[in-house]
Amino acid sequence: MTETTSTLADQLLEAHVRHELNALKGAKLKKFLHQEVDELLEYANSVTLERVVSAEQIMGLIRRVVVSMELDAGIPELAADLATEVLKAPVQSQTRLGDILSREQASAFVEEALELRHQRERVISEIMAHPVYQELVSNVVYHGLVNYLYEDNLITRSVPGVGSMMKFGKKMANKAVPGLDETFERRIKAWLSDSLPSLIARSEQFLHKALSDDELRDTVMAAWVSLEDRTLEDLQDGLGDVQLQEFVVLGYDFWLHFRQTPYFEGCVQAVVEGLYARYGNQPVMNLLADIGVTREVIVTELEAVGLPLVDLLRQEGYLEALLRRRLEPFYRSAATKKLLAAAG
């Protein structure tokens, strides 16, 4: 009796495996997927997002996978190699900048940037106040004054020999009164130091007027017109493989540090909390609909990717092995044998 029961259990197992394998291919599999998509979407139309997964679970996932997960050292090397392949691809020489970003789109970006007038004025003011810029202005004015006095003023240009005579007089005066040059330079620079705030203020006023919306718009769009017909390969001129790889490594190092900063944590927390404030108590389907995930989208991708993948797994024997791992414990169990024995 026991042997007969075991034989029957084996036969049922084989029949069950064949049934499942036949159901996981062709029209039957396609029908099954369509049916399950409909069932899942019906469920998504009634269950809320916070019941499916909580905000704390999402934050935990981000902390584990995005923030804390150790990344292999080969990632930046792989990324650099792939970036190099992209830059070497024929499409770089076949694509114009204007093919990627149209003139209308570029103009729209410019218009939006021009709305940031307060930020633009603040940047100009901060540049004007920077010590390096002030030193630059001081040096430019100083050398301009010296050159004008000895070489480029109206008298030296109009009267032959005056410029040479002034330089000669300067040399003689320096011999007669050593240090005269240094005194002259010191006095000019002292005057510049006193006059610099006024010069900087006038420079700032000039830039605010010169960098008007119309001027900036015309300048940027003129630059765009000169670039939009150039290929991406032309625009990458001078960026070699070595420099590209270094930039990738620097970007990777930045990401490793940035992902563990309190700022990143705060940004992610704000995004997750905002998402759940809006969709947490709504059906999951509302979120899917708002981001464009419809039944048609899901079915299309399942048929394009899912069906070929299932076919491959079946051909490789993985599906049969999986089914046997799942079903054998049931058909080998004492409870099943007892049922079969009772039925016999």
Side-chain angles (χ1 to χ4, degrees):
M1 189 70 175
T2 302
E3 183 177 350
T4 303
T5 301
S6 297
T7 302
L8 182 57
D10 290 339
Q11 292 173 346
L12 286 173
L13 170 62
E14 295 301 322
H16 196 167
V17 169
R18 287 195 300 273
H19 170 80
E20 294 296 338
L21 287 175
N22 288 331
L24 292 174
K25 66 179 180 180
K28 291 182 179 179
L29 176 58
K30 188 174 181 179
K31 181 180 178 181
F32 168 75
L33 290 177
H34 280 242
Q35 180 181 352
E36 291 306 310
V37 167
D38 290 337
E39 293 292 337
L40 283 172
L41 291 182
E42 183 65 28
Y43 176 71
N45 210 28
S46 59
V47 69
T48 61
L49 176 63
E50 57 191 5
R51 281 191 62 199
V52 175
V53 59
S54 69
E56 291 74 20
Q57 288 174 311
I58 293 294
M59 284 302 302
L61 175 66
I62 293 173
R63 291 188 184 103
R64 290 189 302 272
V65 177
V66 178
V67 176
S68 302
M69 188 173 71
E70 292 293 331
L71 301 177
D72 192 272
I75 291 179
E77 180 180 353
L78 175 61
D81 289 343
L82 294 178
T84 299
E85 292 301 320
V86 170
L87 293 185
K88 290 180 177 178
V91 70
Q92 301 293 339
S93 61
Q94 300 165 0
T95 306
R96 302 177 307 114
L97 182 59
D99 296 333
I100 297 176
L101 185 67
S102 69
R103 187 176 300 185
E104 291 73 20
Q105 290 171 323
S107 178
F109 278 116
V110 171
E111 293 299 331
E112 288 300 319
L114 292 176
E115 293 295 323
L116 304 175
R117 188 174 293 103
H118 173 72
Q119 288 80 358
R120 184 171 77 231
E121 293 174 352
R122 187 182 65 184
V123 169
I124 291 174
S125 298
E126 290 177 352
I127 292 175
M128 297 293 106
H130 198 281
V132 173
Y133 178 79
Q134 295 184 5
E135 183 178 356
L136 172 65
V137 171
S138 180
N139 283 329
V140 168
V141 174
Y142 170 76
H143 289 293
L145 281 172
V146 171
N147 290 338
Y148 177 78
L149 287 173
Y150 290 114
E151 297 176 5
D152 201 33
N153 59 65
L154 183 61
I155 297 175
T156 58
R157 285 184 299 175
S158 302
V159 183
V162 171
S164 299
M165 190 163 58
M166 289 183 69
K167 293 177 184 177
F168 177 74
K170 176 188 173 188
K171 291 179 182 177
M172 294 301 294
N174 279 325
K175 288 182 180 180
V177 186
L180 184 63
D181 251 1
E182 288 78 3
T183 303
F184 177 68
E185 178 179 345
R186 196 162 48 248
R187 287 184 177 178
I188 289 183
K189 288 189 174 180
W191 172 81
L192 280 174
S193 179
D194 294 336
S195 306
L196 195 58
S198 176
L199 290 171
I200 295 298
R202 282 198 288 267
S203 297
E204 184 174 343
Q205 292 171 3
F206 170 78
L207 284 176
H208 285 316
K209 292 180 181 178
L211 297 179
S212 65
D213 287 357
D214 290 339
E215 290 289 340
L216 283 172
R217 182 184 298 107
D218 293 343
T219 301
V220 173
M221 291 313 299
W224 174 260
V225 169
S226 69
L227 294 175
E228 63 179 342
D229 286 328
R230 297 182 62 183
T231 67
L232 299 185
E233 185 179 56
D234 293 337
L235 297 174
Q236 295 158 9
D237 186 33
L239 180 62
D241 294 351
V242 174
Q243 290 89 341
L244 177 62
Q245 291 175 359
E246 289 175 351
F247 277 117
V248 171
V249 171
L250 287 173
Y252 179 72
D253 288 340
F254 166 77
W255 166 245
L256 291 181
H257 167 73
F258 178 69
R259 67 177 184 158
Q260 296 181 335
T261 60
Y263 176 77
F264 179 77
E265 170 88 9
C267 291
V268 171
Q269 187 76 46
V271 170
V272 172
E273 289 177 355
L275 179 70
Y276 274 80
R278 181 167 182 174
Y279 293 103
N281 60 356
Q282 294 188 37
V284 175
M285 198 61 210
N286 289 9
L287 173 60
L288 295 178
D290 283 353
I291 62 177
V293 179
T294 63
R295 181 188 186 278
E296 290 70 24
V297 170
I298 297 172
V299 169
T300 298
E301 298 310 316
L302 281 175
E303 292 181 355
V305 179
L307 294 181
L309 178 59
V310 172
D311 283 339
L312 175 63
L313 294 177
R314 187 182 62 255
Q315 294 167 12
E316 294 294 320
Y318 175 83
L319 277 184
E320 182 176 350
L322 171 64
L323 289 169
R324 290 187 181 281
R325 286 193 297 271
R326 289 290 301 161
L327 298 176
E328 278 186 0
F330 170 76
Y331 287 102
R332 299 282 187 265
S333 67
T336 300
K337 292 180 179 180
K338 184 176 179 180
L339 287 172
L340 292 174

